[in-house]
Amino acid sequence: MPKRNASSAEWQGVTLLGINRRTTLQQKEMGVLIATIATGILFTIFARNFISWANLVTVLTMASELGIVAIGMTFLLISGEIDLSVGSVFATIPLIMAMLFVYHGISEWIGMGIALLVAAGIGYLNGQITIGTGIPSFITTLGMMMFWRGIVLALTGGRPVAFFGRSTLLAILGGLLPGGVRAVSIWFVVLVFILWLVLEKMRYGNWVVATGGNKDIARELGVNVRKVKLINFTLTAVLAGFAGCIQFARLGSASPAYGEGLELEAIAASVIGGTSLVGGYGSILGTFLGALLMAIIRSGLVLAGAPAYWYRSFVGAIVIIAVIINRKLGSGGSQK
Amino acid sequence: MRDPDALLEVRGLKKAFGGVVALRGIDLTLERRQIIGLVGDNGAGKSTLIKIISGVYPPDEGEIQYEGKPIRFSSPMEARGVGIETVYQHLALIPQMSILRNFFLGKEMLRRIGPFGFMDFNDMRGICKEALEGLGIRVRCLDEDVSFLSGGERQAVAIARALHFGAKLLILDEPTAALSVRETETVLNYIIEARNRGLAVIFITHSLHQVYPVADRLVILEHGRKIGDFKRDEVALEDLTGIIRGTQTKDSS
Ligand SMILES: Nc1ncnc2c1ncn2[C@@H]1O[C@H](COP(=O)(O)OP(=O)(O)O)[C@@H](O)[C@H]1O
Ligand SMILES: [Mg+2]
């Protein structure tokens, strides 16, 4: 950090930035980091085998599918929009893939390609409707959440599509690596890295933050706000669809009932990680930790012998606590 | 009569909003390296005038010449593209973003790695620091969010940015309305610095006392008409106050 201590006589100007109240990377993720460490300590004490390779691998696997959905959500939230249809898309896309592949004998690669294109189309449509009509994305995607859930239920008659054969693609997506690590964890970590890079280091990330921060100023300064939002809606849906495909690969089945409530978990992971619900502020690393924390809670409760029902209450409390910590640290546009 | 040195000339500018007539035919010539104090009561039409110049509204009637060519902006972006920068009090910077990111927003400098362009923070940092220090602004941490800056500091950043990205005409609409006396003085210093670098500056205020010491020219609007246009050196502050109070009517040559 460049510091300058010139005598004030040389300067007529005001002193800018006297105090380093926040260097972006240091504090953005502080709330979730504290919460994760505290929860980790808690379970280390109360849950047997919490600190074990097997459990760490399990936690990462559980965090991954949710996390892939959540990092897309984070991008969208930062740009000032929301997508409640990710859970339905998470169910729809692998079903399209599975039906093409299992029922129609289409190669799984092409099947997934088509399915992800459909996901892109769904996200793009969410964006077009929201931007074109000016209605809030909360409404657009609430409608879409019900719409696509209904479509897949109708298409499948409510029955899952299963596949238990061998497939290179499915192994790449959801297979087991040495040491018990799931391929999905690798996908998650790679995607987190890429989206982090885009958000923090690339021009597009700057535009995303600016769009959610104040779209009028961003537009004035030459940011194509509309395009940024459309891209983010599309990205969110594609990532939700991709996460669904990964789950299909891991479980060998796609069900129209999967992904229910996932939209709220994805939003929770983002918010726990410090992302603002009103846009203009957020962190991919925070969301990574947020998803990890939620998985820690899930597995920790099981290992501690507590009924799984407690999971929701625990996560609910964490959402509130993490956001309070974030505010106390003075980070984020959420308080303005 | 056309002035060949003029940066901007408007002729017969009229604008109405429904039944409300905001401008009733304004003529105005702006020269380079000049600070124009644009004064007048609330509702006189000052903001409307500069919004037409900066591309926010189209005029109902009248013409605008910029650098000798007739021009009609269809957006503020277009005006900015040819060097007309407006610093609005609240519409200049994104509060949740750092000073550095704000400074280069929409004009980020990139370093290519393969097919990908990454923001070149080192170069941007150096340039931003230089641009701010050129205005006499001390720089300690460019990574601080703009929301932590005072109103005057925000304007300083916005002005420095406008200067850096090649503004020829800098417009400030009541920039000092929410500032302390000391901050106002500082902003006035930035404006003088901008003028010294060759820019034309339009400074809007309803405080004549504030703008009189720094302006090269004073233009007075009332009810959508220009009721005075003086070189500062040719008019006394008392006379101007008289005109604004309506006790005198006088026009310059
Ligand atoms: N967008 C608008 N819609 C309707 N009336 C407006 C609009 N903008 C300005 N006016 C009216 O035009 C007149 C001039 O306003 P303005 O240019 O803002 O004055 P000033 O900046 O000198 O205070 C006022 O009567 C104002 O109410
Ligand atoms: Mg005004």
Side-chain angles (χ1 to χ4, degrees):
Chain A
M1 204 79 13
K3 292 241 161 143
R4 185 178 267 270
N5 292 311
S7 74
S8 55
E10 287 177 47
W11 303 89
Q12 319 174 303
V14 286
T15 306
L16 263 187
L17 329 169
I19 320 155
N20 290 334
R21 261 156 297 198
R22 178 162 79 76
T23 51
T24 324
L25 273 173
Q26 278 172 0
Q27 286 183 20
K28 244 183 191 176
E29 298 84 9
M30 215 32 129
V32 65
L33 199 61
I34 294 170
T36 308
I37 291 170
T39 313
I41 292 173
L42 201 69
F43 283 128
T44 308
I45 298 168
F46 291 106
R48 210 175 296 170
N49 295 331
F50 180 77
I51 299 291
S52 65
W53 177 250
N55 187 48
L56 289 182
V57 168
T58 309
V59 163
L60 195 56
T61 305
M62 289 197 297
S64 296
E65 280 153 22
L66 164 65
I68 290 171
V69 180
I71 51 178
M73 184 72 82
T74 299
F75 254 64
L76 190 57
L77 285 173
I78 296 175
S79 63
E81 302 290 347
I82 199 165
D83 186 351
L84 297 178
S85 69
V86 288
S88 298
V89 171
F90 180 88
T92 306
I93 301 311
L95 269 170
I96 293 174
M97 173 189 179
M99 287 168 97
L100 288 172
F101 168 45
V102 178
Y103 295 164
H104 300 281
I106 292 170
S107 130
E108 68 266 41
W109 298 87
I110 295 173
M112 182 160 116
I114 292 172
L116 289 181
L117 276 179
V118 173
I122 291 174
Y124 187 78
L125 188 65
N126 285 340
Q128 279 295 358
I129 294 174
T130 302
I131 297 162
T133 62
I135 61 175
S137 49
F138 186 95
I139 304 295
T140 316
T141 59
L142 177 68
M144 287 298 186
M145 167 176 115
M146 299 179 186
F147 179 81
W148 293 110
R149 185 67 69 185
I151 294 281
V152 282
L153 284 167
L155 273 180
T156 59
R159 283 179 299 276
V161 178
F163 174 76
F164 296 109
R166 249 176 234 281
S167 151
T168 320
L169 175 61
L170 296 188
I172 292 173
L173 288 181
L176 216 49
L177 301 166
V181 178
R182 282 275 178 185
V184 53
S185 315
I186 311 286
W187 283 104
F188 180 39
V189 172
V190 169
L191 285 169
V192 163
F193 179 70
I194 293 173
L195 290 201
W196 171 81
L197 216 54
V198 173
L199 187 62
E200 301 291 338
K201 305 289 175 199
M202 296 176 88
R203 179 163 68 175
Y204 183 71
N206 229 21
W207 299 349
V208 169
V209 180
T211 298
N214 187 321
K215 64 175 175 359
D216 298 319
I217 300 175
R219 198 182 293 120
E220 277 268 311
L221 293 174
V223 175
N224 190 336
V225 172
R226 200 188 148 86
K227 193 164 135 195
V228 166
K229 291 192 173 189
L230 276 175
I231 290 175
N232 285 357
F233 273 112
T234 308
L235 174 78
T236 305
V238 168
L239 285 176
F242 183 66
C245 293
I246 286 178
Q247 196 195 48
F248 168 59
R250 185 168 64 82
L251 300 177
S253 81
S255 159
Y258 286 162
E260 260 177 297
L262 183 62
E263 60 287 334
L264 297 182
E265 291 206 31
I267 293 165
S270 298
V271 168
I272 288 173
T275 295
S276 158
L277 269 185
V278 295
Y281 189 86
S283 156
I284 289 294
L285 288 183
T287 303
F288 174 76
L289 290 172
L292 217 54
L293 175 56
M294 290 170 73
I296 285 174
I297 294 168
R298 196 179 280 251
S299 94
L301 286 175
V302 172
L303 291 178
Y309 309 120
W310 287 102
Y311 168 69
R312 277 173 192 247
S313 311
F314 212 112
V315 168
I318 292 286
V319 168
I320 295 170
I321 293 167
V323 172
I324 291 172
I325 298 176
N326 288 340
R327 280 205 189 186
K328 286 275 182 276
L329 290 173
S331 59
S334 51
Q335 72 257 41
K336 284 178 285 284
Chain B
M1 201 173 60
R2 295 250 177 249
D3 179 346
D5 293 332
L7 178 65
L8 183 108
E9 259 190 291
V10 302
R11 288 278 166 268
L13 223 51
K14 291 188 184 169
K15 180 79 188 172
F17 298 98
V20 184
V21 184
L23 298 179
R24 303 166 193 269
I26 301 280
D27 297 338
L28 185 65
T29 306
L30 299 188
E31 277 151 47
R32 291 168 216 267
R33 201 178 287 274
Q34 196 176 61
I35 297 174
I36 295 199
L38 184 57
V39 290
D41 265 343
N42 270 334
K46 306 180 298 289
S47 295
T48 306
L49 175 60
I50 61 103
K51 279 179 178 166
I52 291 174
I53 293 173
S54 62
V56 176
Y57 305 134
D60 294 342
E61 264 177 64
E63 53 177 289
I64 306 174
Q65 291 226 347
Y66 184 69
E67 299 192 295
K69 278 173 246 129
I71 202 160
R72 186 151 252 204
F73 302 120
S74 56
S75 75
M77 276 282 294
E78 258 180 56
R80 175 169 271 132
V82 298
I84 300 178
E85 287 276 347
T86 312
V87 176
Y88 295 101
Q89 211 182 322
H90 298 291
L91 210 81
L93 305 169
I94 311 261
Q96 303 95 321
M97 290 173 79
S98 72
I99 296 166
L100 185 65
R101 283 171 183 266
N102 261 291
F103 193 93
F104 285 97
L105 183 58
K107 287 170 178 159
E108 294 84 357
M109 296 171 68
L110 300 183
R111 195 206 326 236
R112 302 231 146 248
I113 300 178
F116 303 107
F118 292 92
M119 287 194 278
D120 191 339
F121 285 110
N122 274 343
D123 282 13
M124 290 199 292
R125 205 173 283 280
I127 287 171
C128 180
K129 195 162 173 278
E130 218 169 85
L132 289 167
E133 288 183 351
L135 271 186
I137 304 160
R138 270 193 267 186
V139 175
R140 289 218 181 127
C141 176
L142 293 174
D143 298 313
E144 194 159 66
D145 281 1
V146 162
S147 61
F148 293 128
L149 303 186
S150 72
E153 291 168 337
R154 288 181 204 205
Q155 296 208 4
V157 175
I159 293 171
R161 182 177 60 191
L163 288 180
H164 176 73
F165 288 108
K168 293 172 186 164
L169 168 59
L170 183 63
I171 302 172
L172 300 106
D173 193 352
E174 310 224 15
T176 53
L179 301 188
S180 69
V181 176
R182 244 197 77 215
E183 280 200 312
T184 299
E185 225 161 81
T186 324
V187 169
L188 293 174
N189 279 332
Y190 301 148
I191 290 169
I192 293 170
E193 174 64 25
R195 189 264 322 270
N196 292 346
R197 292 195 199 176
L199 273 79
V201 180
I202 301 180
F203 183 93
I204 299 181
T205 173
H206 48 249
S207 161
L208 186 58
H209 296 267
Q210 193 176 80
V211 75
Y212 185 81
V214 298
D216 300 299
R217 231 173 97 201
L218 293 142
V219 172
I220 304 165
L221 293 193
E222 196 185 276
H223 299 308
R225 282 203 183 82
K226 188 166 92 173
I227 59 160
D229 188 340
F230 307 94
K231 290 212 166 81
R232 200 268 316 265
D233 296 338
E234 293 170 1
V235 65
L237 185 55
E238 299 77 57
D239 295 340
L240 287 171
T241 2
I243 290 168
I244 289 175
R245 284 211 210 93
T247 52
Q248 265 175 288
T249 318
K250 183 168 157 187
D251 209 322
S252 76
S253 44

